[in-house]
Amino acid sequence: MTVQATNTATQWLSGAGLRPTRQRVALATLLVGDGQHRHVTAESLFANVQDMGESVSLATVYNTLRAFCEVGLVQEVTVDGSKSYFDTNTHDHPHFYWEDTGTLSDAPADQLKITQVPDAPEGAEIASVDVVIRLRRK
């Protein structure tokens, strides 16, 4: 971890009102330390933090990602109703899910046109609309 990456991560956490604990800073550094957006699973982030030599349990990774979601630092994108990816780009945008590699990437938002969605049932409101476009290689 570079000092700059750690500082970026610490500022990211503090800006959201989260205390920058050692474990949170390690995970945040992997997520935003270089300024690039990421799509990660808890398992891939756990493997990356282990590669850094940090002592963080998988349960802590899950709990930390949930905390990041709650304060709006990352958004959860669910694929197949069972696999969750966490995206550091929290603006509304569609995703490509690559079936052959099990990876998620951003799709061009300017090419997506949603002209109408169904009305929410009585007593409910639409919280968001997630668009995941499943791809496979030809």
mmCIF file of all heavy atoms in Angstrom, residues 4-36:
data_model
loop_
_atom_site.group_PDB
_atom_site.id
_atom_site.type_symbol
_atom_site.label_atom_id
_atom_site.label_comp_id
_atom_site.label_asym_id
_atom_site.label_seq_id
_atom_site.Cartn_x
_atom_site.Cartn_y
_atom_site.Cartn_z
ATOM 1 N N GLN A 4 -0.084 7.414 -0.547
ATOM 2 C CA GLN A 4 -1.139 8.137 -1.272
ATOM 3 C C GLN A 4 -2.423 7.308 -1.327
ATOM 4 O O GLN A 4 -3.517 7.827 -1.105
ATOM 5 C CB GLN A 4 -0.676 8.495 -2.689
ATOM 6 C CG GLN A 4 -1.739 9.204 -3.515
ATOM 7 C CD GLN A 4 -2.171 10.533 -2.917
ATOM 8 O OE1 GLN A 4 -1.367 11.256 -2.334
ATOM 9 N NE2 GLN A 4 -3.445 10.861 -3.049
ATOM 10 N N ALA A 5 -2.295 6.003 -1.641
ATOM 11 C CA ALA A 5 -3.469 5.131 -1.713
ATOM 12 C C ALA A 5 -4.150 5.031 -0.350
ATOM 13 O O ALA A 5 -5.380 5.067 -0.255
ATOM 14 C CB ALA A 5 -3.074 3.750 -2.222
ATOM 15 N N THR A 6 -3.361 4.921 0.698
ATOM 16 C CA THR A 6 -3.908 4.840 2.056
ATOM 17 C C THR A 6 -4.612 6.144 2.420
ATOM 18 O O THR A 6 -5.688 6.133 3.019
ATOM 19 C CB THR A 6 -2.800 4.516 3.067
ATOM 20 O OG1 THR A 6 -2.194 3.276 2.700
ATOM 21 C CG2 THR A 6 -3.341 4.403 4.474
ATOM 22 N N ASN A 7 -4.008 7.286 2.055
ATOM 23 C CA ASN A 7 -4.641 8.579 2.331
ATOM 24 C C ASN A 7 -5.964 8.726 1.579
ATOM 25 O O ASN A 7 -6.948 9.221 2.132
ATOM 26 C CB ASN A 7 -3.701 9.727 1.960
ATOM 27 C CG ASN A 7 -2.546 9.863 2.927
ATOM 28 O OD1 ASN A 7 -2.591 9.360 4.044
ATOM 29 N ND2 ASN A 7 -1.500 10.547 2.496
ATOM 30 N N THR A 8 -5.984 8.288 0.318
ATOM 31 C CA THR A 8 -7.222 8.333 -0.473
ATOM 32 C C THR A 8 -8.297 7.498 0.205
ATOM 33 O O THR A 8 -9.447 7.934 0.344
ATOM 34 C CB THR A 8 -6.963 7.815 -1.903
ATOM 35 O OG1 THR A 8 -6.004 8.666 -2.527
ATOM 36 C CG2 THR A 8 -8.240 7.782 -2.727
ATOM 37 N N ALA A 9 -7.941 6.299 0.645
ATOM 38 C CA ALA A 9 -8.892 5.401 1.310
ATOM 39 C C ALA A 9 -9.397 5.995 2.621
ATOM 40 O O ALA A 9 -10.598 5.949 2.923
ATOM 41 C CB ALA A 9 -8.242 4.043 1.551
ATOM 42 N N THR A 10 -8.492 6.568 3.394
ATOM 43 C CA THR A 10 -8.868 7.166 4.679
ATOM 44 C C THR A 10 -9.827 8.335 4.475
ATOM 45 O O THR A 10 -10.826 8.457 5.190
ATOM 46 C CB THR A 10 -7.605 7.614 5.447
ATOM 47 O OG1 THR A 10 -6.768 6.467 5.649
ATOM 48 C CG2 THR A 10 -7.957 8.204 6.797
ATOM 49 N N GLN A 11 -9.556 9.175 3.483
ATOM 50 C CA GLN A 11 -10.449 10.295 3.187
ATOM 51 C C GLN A 11 -11.810 9.806 2.705
ATOM 52 O O GLN A 11 -12.849 10.381 3.046
ATOM 53 C CB GLN A 11 -9.820 11.208 2.139
ATOM 54 C CG GLN A 11 -8.629 11.972 2.660
ATOM 55 C CD GLN A 11 -7.873 12.706 1.566
ATOM 56 O OE1 GLN A 11 -8.197 12.608 0.390
ATOM 57 N NE2 GLN A 11 -6.850 13.448 1.963
ATOM 58 N N TRP A 12 -11.835 8.735 1.906
ATOM 59 C CA TRP A 12 -13.076 8.141 1.402
ATOM 60 C C TRP A 12 -13.949 7.692 2.569
ATOM 61 O O TRP A 12 -15.159 7.955 2.599
ATOM 62 C CB TRP A 12 -12.700 6.980 0.485
ATOM 63 C CG TRP A 12 -13.775 6.327 -0.304
ATOM 64 C CD1 TRP A 12 -14.555 6.880 -1.279
ATOM 65 C CD2 TRP A 12 -14.163 4.951 -0.240
ATOM 66 N NE1 TRP A 12 -15.403 5.925 -1.818
ATOM 67 C CE2 TRP A 12 -15.178 4.730 -1.197
ATOM 68 C CE3 TRP A 12 -13.731 3.871 0.529
ATOM 69 C CZ2 TRP A 12 -15.772 3.500 -1.399
ATOM 70 C CZ3 TRP A 12 -14.324 2.635 0.330
ATOM 71 C CH2 TRP A 12 -15.333 2.459 -0.627
ATOM 72 N N LEU A 13 -13.325 7.023 3.536
ATOM 73 C CA LEU A 13 -14.061 6.541 4.711
ATOM 74 C C LEU A 13 -14.539 7.705 5.580
ATOM 75 O O LEU A 13 -15.705 7.753 5.980
ATOM 76 C CB LEU A 13 -13.170 5.612 5.541
ATOM 77 C CG LEU A 13 -12.783 4.286 4.903
ATOM 78 C CD1 LEU A 13 -11.697 3.603 5.711
ATOM 79 C CD2 LEU A 13 -13.999 3.396 4.750
ATOM 80 N N SER A 14 -13.640 8.627 5.866
ATOM 81 C CA SER A 14 -13.985 9.757 6.735
ATOM 82 C C SER A 14 -15.086 10.614 6.123
ATOM 83 O O SER A 14 -15.962 11.098 6.833
ATOM 84 C CB SER A 14 -12.746 10.614 6.994
ATOM 85 O OG SER A 14 -11.778 9.863 7.702
ATOM 86 N N GLY A 15 -15.055 10.781 4.804
ATOM 87 C CA GLY A 15 -16.082 11.561 4.117
ATOM 88 C C GLY A 15 -17.466 10.965 4.257
ATOM 89 O O GLY A 15 -18.468 11.671 4.153
ATOM 90 N N ALA A 16 -17.529 9.663 4.498
ATOM 91 C CA ALA A 16 -18.821 8.988 4.677
ATOM 92 C C ALA A 16 -19.172 8.823 6.154
ATOM 93 O O ALA A 16 -20.180 8.211 6.493
ATOM 94 C CB ALA A 16 -18.783 7.614 4.007
ATOM 95 N N GLY A 17 -18.321 9.363 7.039
ATOM 96 C CA GLY A 17 -18.593 9.272 8.475
ATOM 97 C C GLY A 17 -18.201 7.953 9.098
ATOM 98 O O GLY A 17 -18.632 7.644 10.209
ATOM 99 N N LEU A 18 -17.374 7.166 8.398
ATOM 100 C CA LEU A 18 -16.909 5.889 8.956
ATOM 101 C C LEU A 18 -15.538 6.059 9.598
ATOM 102 O O LEU A 18 -14.652 6.703 9.023
ATOM 103 C CB LEU A 18 -16.817 4.817 7.868
ATOM 104 C CG LEU A 18 -18.125 4.286 7.314
ATOM 105 C CD1 LEU A 18 -17.858 3.297 6.183
ATOM 106 C CD2 LEU A 18 -18.956 3.623 8.402
ATOM 107 N N ARG A 19 -15.389 5.464 10.764
ATOM 108 C CA ARG A 19 -14.095 5.501 11.441
ATOM 109 C C ARG A 19 -13.095 4.674 10.637
ATOM 110 O O ARG A 19 -13.380 3.532 10.285
ATOM 111 C CB ARG A 19 -14.261 4.939 12.854
ATOM 112 C CG ARG A 19 -13.079 5.182 13.758
ATOM 113 C CD ARG A 19 -13.425 4.903 15.217
ATOM 114 N NE ARG A 19 -14.070 3.623 15.409
ATOM 115 C CZ ARG A 19 -13.419 2.477 15.671
ATOM 116 N NH1 ARG A 19 -12.115 2.467 15.748
ATOM 117 N NH2 ARG A 19 -14.092 1.363 15.845
ATOM 118 N N PRO A 20 -11.935 5.238 10.319
ATOM 119 C CA PRO A 20 -10.959 4.511 9.503
ATOM 120 C C PRO A 20 -10.130 3.512 10.327
ATOM 121 O O PRO A 20 -8.975 3.771 10.670
ATOM 122 C CB PRO A 20 -10.089 5.633 8.918
ATOM 123 C CG PRO A 20 -10.195 6.757 9.889
ATOM 124 C CD PRO A 20 -11.557 6.637 10.535
ATOM 125 N N THR A 21 -10.732 2.373 10.628
ATOM 126 C CA THR A 21 -10.003 1.326 11.343
ATOM 127 C C THR A 21 -8.966 0.704 10.406
ATOM 128 O O THR A 21 -9.025 0.883 9.189
ATOM 129 C CB THR A 21 -10.957 0.219 11.830
ATOM 130 O OG1 THR A 21 -11.527 -0.429 10.683
ATOM 131 C CG2 THR A 21 -12.058 0.776 12.723
ATOM 132 N N ARG A 22 -8.020 -0.026 10.955
ATOM 133 C CA ARG A 22 -6.975 -0.659 10.153
ATOM 134 C C ARG A 22 -7.575 -1.546 9.078
ATOM 135 O O ARG A 22 -7.172 -1.496 7.910
ATOM 136 C CB ARG A 22 -6.049 -1.493 11.058
ATOM 137 C CG ARG A 22 -4.949 -2.220 10.295
ATOM 138 C CD ARG A 22 -4.178 -3.199 11.170
ATOM 139 N NE ARG A 22 -5.018 -4.224 11.771
ATOM 140 C CZ ARG A 22 -5.442 -5.335 11.142
ATOM 141 N NH1 ARG A 22 -5.135 -5.542 9.890
ATOM 142 N NH2 ARG A 22 -6.192 -6.217 11.760
ATOM 143 N N GLN A 23 -8.569 -2.357 9.438
ATOM 144 C CA GLN A 23 -9.164 -3.283 8.482
ATOM 145 C C GLN A 23 -9.957 -2.537 7.407
ATOM 146 O O GLN A 23 -9.875 -2.863 6.226
ATOM 147 C CB GLN A 23 -10.049 -4.295 9.205
ATOM 148 C CG GLN A 23 -9.217 -5.222 10.082
ATOM 149 C CD GLN A 23 -10.051 -6.051 11.017
ATOM 150 O OE1 GLN A 23 -11.026 -5.566 11.581
ATOM 151 N NE2 GLN A 23 -9.675 -7.308 11.189
ATOM 152 N N ARG A 24 -10.713 -1.523 7.797
ATOM 153 C CA ARG A 24 -11.466 -0.737 6.810
ATOM 154 C C ARG A 24 -10.529 -0.029 5.843
ATOM 155 O O ARG A 24 -10.783 0.030 4.643
ATOM 156 C CB ARG A 24 -12.356 0.294 7.507
ATOM 157 C CG ARG A 24 -13.600 -0.288 8.125
ATOM 158 C CD ARG A 24 -14.404 0.787 8.802
ATOM 159 N NE ARG A 24 -15.610 0.249 9.398
ATOM 160 C CZ ARG A 24 -16.343 0.894 10.288
ATOM 161 N NH1 ARG A 24 -15.990 2.123 10.672
ATOM 162 N NH2 ARG A 24 -17.426 0.341 10.788
ATOM 163 N N VAL A 25 -9.445 0.528 6.358
ATOM 164 C CA VAL A 25 -8.488 1.232 5.501
ATOM 165 C C VAL A 25 -7.846 0.256 4.513
ATOM 166 O O VAL A 25 -7.692 0.568 3.333
ATOM 167 C CB VAL A 25 -7.420 1.974 6.333
ATOM 168 C CG1 VAL A 25 -6.282 2.481 5.450
ATOM 169 C CG2 VAL A 25 -8.054 3.135 7.104
ATOM 170 N N ALA A 26 -7.504 -0.947 4.973
ATOM 171 C CA ALA A 26 -6.908 -1.947 4.076
ATOM 172 C C ALA A 26 -7.869 -2.292 2.945
ATOM 173 O O ALA A 26 -7.483 -2.326 1.766
ATOM 174 C CB ALA A 26 -6.532 -3.204 4.862
ATOM 175 N N LEU A 27 -9.135 -2.524 3.268
ATOM 176 C CA LEU A 27 -10.126 -2.870 2.249
ATOM 177 C C LEU A 27 -10.422 -1.673 1.340
ATOM 178 O O LEU A 27 -10.512 -1.814 0.118
ATOM 179 C CB LEU A 27 -11.404 -3.391 2.904
ATOM 180 C CG LEU A 27 -11.234 -4.709 3.677
ATOM 181 C CD1 LEU A 27 -12.485 -5.035 4.471
ATOM 182 C CD2 LEU A 27 -10.864 -5.836 2.745
ATOM 183 N N ALA A 28 -10.548 -0.494 1.926
ATOM 184 C CA ALA A 28 -10.820 0.709 1.143
ATOM 185 C C ALA A 28 -9.660 1.028 0.205
ATOM 186 O O ALA A 28 -9.878 1.483 -0.925
ATOM 187 C CB ALA A 28 -11.101 1.888 2.071
ATOM 188 N N THR A 29 -8.451 0.771 0.634
ATOM 189 C CA THR A 29 -7.281 1.012 -0.220
ATOM 190 C C THR A 29 -7.351 0.146 -1.466
ATOM 191 O O THR A 29 -7.073 0.608 -2.574
ATOM 192 C CB THR A 29 -5.981 0.763 0.554
ATOM 193 O OG1 THR A 29 -5.930 1.666 1.670
ATOM 194 C CG2 THR A 29 -4.757 0.980 -0.326
ATOM 195 N N LEU A 30 -7.754 -1.102 -1.294
ATOM 196 C CA LEU A 30 -7.914 -1.985 -2.451
ATOM 197 C C LEU A 30 -9.045 -1.521 -3.365
ATOM 198 O O LEU A 30 -8.966 -1.655 -4.579
ATOM 199 C CB LEU A 30 -8.176 -3.421 -1.991
ATOM 200 C CG LEU A 30 -6.975 -4.134 -1.377
ATOM 201 C CD1 LEU A 30 -7.416 -5.430 -0.714
ATOM 202 C CD2 LEU A 30 -5.916 -4.396 -2.431
ATOM 203 N N LEU A 31 -10.087 -0.970 -2.775
ATOM 204 C CA LEU A 31 -11.258 -0.553 -3.558
ATOM 205 C C LEU A 31 -11.044 0.765 -4.290
ATOM 206 O O LEU A 31 -11.437 0.896 -5.450
ATOM 207 C CB LEU A 31 -12.494 -0.444 -2.654
ATOM 208 C CG LEU A 31 -13.064 -1.760 -2.143
ATOM 209 C CD1 LEU A 31 -14.128 -1.500 -1.088
ATOM 210 C CD2 LEU A 31 -13.632 -2.572 -3.291
ATOM 211 N N VAL A 32 -10.457 1.761 -3.634
ATOM 212 C CA VAL A 32 -10.386 3.098 -4.230
ATOM 213 C C VAL A 32 -9.014 3.746 -4.168
ATOM 214 O O VAL A 32 -8.860 4.893 -4.577
ATOM 215 C CB VAL A 32 -11.416 4.063 -3.574
ATOM 216 C CG1 VAL A 32 -12.835 3.561 -3.773
ATOM 217 C CG2 VAL A 32 -11.105 4.282 -2.099
ATOM 218 N N GLY A 33 -8.028 3.051 -3.674
ATOM 219 C CA GLY A 33 -6.708 3.647 -3.468
ATOM 220 C C GLY A 33 -6.073 4.215 -4.713
ATOM 221 O O GLY A 33 -5.349 5.207 -4.659
ATOM 222 N N ASP A 34 -6.359 3.609 -5.877
ATOM 223 C CA ASP A 34 -5.756 4.115 -7.118
ATOM 224 C C ASP A 34 -6.717 4.999 -7.920
ATOM 225 O O ASP A 34 -6.406 5.421 -9.033
ATOM 226 C CB ASP A 34 -5.254 2.966 -7.990
ATOM 227 C CG ASP A 34 -6.371 2.067 -8.499
ATOM 228 O OD1 ASP A 34 -7.557 2.298 -8.162
ATOM 229 O OD2 ASP A 34 -6.058 1.113 -9.234
ATOM 230 N N GLY A 35 -7.894 5.274 -7.360
ATOM 231 C CA GLY A 35 -8.843 6.150 -8.028
ATOM 232 C C GLY A 35 -9.674 5.494 -9.116
ATOM 233 O O GLY A 35 -10.490 6.144 -9.750
ATOM 234 N N GLN A 36 -9.480 4.213 -9.342
ATOM 235 C CA GLN A 36 -10.237 3.481 -10.362
ATOM 236 C C GLN A 36 -11.454 2.810 -9.723
ATOM 237 O O GLN A 36 -11.408 2.417 -8.563
ATOM 238 C CB GLN A 36 -9.364 2.411 -11.027
ATOM 239 C CG GLN A 36 -8.125 2.966 -11.699
ATOM 240 C CD GLN A 36 -8.456 3.908 -12.825
ATOM 241 O OE1 GLN A 36 -9.241 3.583 -13.707
ATOM 242 N NE2 GLN A 36 -7.878 5.097 -12.793
#
